[in-house]
Amino acid sequence: MSKKAPTSFLSNVFLSYEKPIQLLFFIIGIYIAADYFPYFNEQGKLFQNLIRASIVFVISWGLYNLSSTSSLLLTKLNHKFNFEIDEILIPFLSKALRVLVVVISVSVIAQVFGYEISGLVAGLGIGGLAISLAAKDAIANLFGGIVIITEKPFSIGDWILTPSVEGTVEDITFRSTRIRTFAQAVVTVPNATLANESITNWSWMGKRQITFQLRVAHDTPKGQLKNVVQKIEEVLRNHPEIHQETIHVRFDQFTDNGFGVFLYFFTKTTVWAEFLKVKEEINFAILDILEQENVKMAIPSRVLYFDKNFSEVSHEGLS
């Protein structure tokens, strides 16, 4: 029946109330059977209260199940009407609705059995200080979650780095945030801790940096060195995956290790695997250029000198 519903929302309603309705039919069966049982007073106060409480429980159970699908409802409303609802806020609101349903249903069932909710609330007010002291960590985590949601340093699915953990954000609850590391382990970080840490959101990168020093041998002629620098820059300028806004290829150092060519540029992609592929393509292109120009990279070497008395003098460096 739920699969034949005209809309997805009605389908979710039917699925949410599928088991509660089964329980409702069971309760109705007990109520009808009690009417035919000769030694049972179906009009008794306790029995009537149990029936009323059971009906409240059935309705609350369905609403509790439906609140879990509210994430889907909020997501659709967000896409359809362009509401400014962050992806990390949607599951948080869903959990808040579930808590609200439980609190209201418990209070209604308590009133069915004659308990005064106002007295309970007053008692909580008297013992509020003791409760707040006992639950200070939980309250700190709750406010930490609120800070994360309002400031929006990351969203569900983002790749973040903190002093505690690095990985992909999977979920945020009232108490903690769940992050899956690249080793596929799940780390649960208290919201109070996460809200007070520096957070690097790698998913917000518009481009990814590559920079390094290319060292060539001291005996490289000036003309060949200029050709190497120009050809490397041409490769970067013509590569479709290199960001063209910032490209620097310069001969910038005389060192004991050889001539230093400085490279500084960015890839358009921020995806790790694609970034590595582009970096590999550039490295192979540089090797081809060095081979074409017959330019050797600087490698460690040791030159030994001997005098007539065979006393050894060593000179270390790169050639």
Side-chain angles (χ1 to χ4, degrees), residues 214 232 280-295 297:
L214 176 66
I232 292 177
E280 181 186 56
E281 291 174 357
I282 297 300
N283 288 340
F284 277 129
I286 292 174
L287 289 178
D288 289 339
I289 292 172
L290 294 177
E291 185 177 349
Q292 292 169 9
E293 295 296 326
N294 196 24
V295 173
M297 296 182 63

Side-chain angles (χ1 to χ4, degrees), residues 305-313:
Y305 299 94
F306 296 90
D307 61 12
K308 295 180 180 180
N309 297 321
F310 298 99
S311 60
E312 178 181 317
V313 178

Side-chain angles (χ1 to χ4, degrees), residues 39-95:
Y39 302 106
F40 184 78
N41 181 17
E42 72 279 4
Q43 298 301 323
K45 186 176 180 179
L46 178 60
F47 180 73
Q48 292 294 326
N49 288 339
L50 286 173
I51 294 297
R52 294 190 187 98
S54 299
I55 294 174
V56 172
F57 176 77
V58 167
I59 297 173
S60 302
W61 187 8
L63 290 175
Y64 183 85
N65 293 338
L66 185 61
S67 63
S68 65
T69 63
S70 63
S71 295
L72 176 62
L73 176 62
L74 289 174
T75 301
K76 288 187 176 181
L77 289 175
N78 191 17
H79 293 321
K80 186 173 183 179
F81 298 104
N82 294 322
F83 292 155
E84 294 298 328
I85 303 177
D86 192 75
E87 293 296 330
I88 202 171
L89 182 59
I90 292 175
F92 197 87
L93 289 175
S94 179
K95 294 178 178 66

Side-chain angles (χ1 to χ4, degrees), residues 214-218 251 253-261 298 318-319:
L214 176 66
R215 299 291 174 85
V216 298
H218 277 131
F251 166 43
Q253 287 185 352
F254 293 92
T255 69
D256 294 337
N257 300 331
F259 297 145
V261 178
L318 293 175
S319 62

Side-chain angles (χ1 to χ4, degrees), residues 45 49 107-117:
K45 186 176 180 179
N49 288 339
S107 63
V108 171
I109 291 174
Q111 288 181 346
V112 167
F113 286 99
Y115 291 98
E116 287 293 333
I117 301 300

Side-chain angles (χ1 to χ4, degrees), residues 12 37 51 62 84 151 164:
N12 289 328
F37 195 70
I51 294 297
E84 294 298 328
E151 293 188 357
S164 302

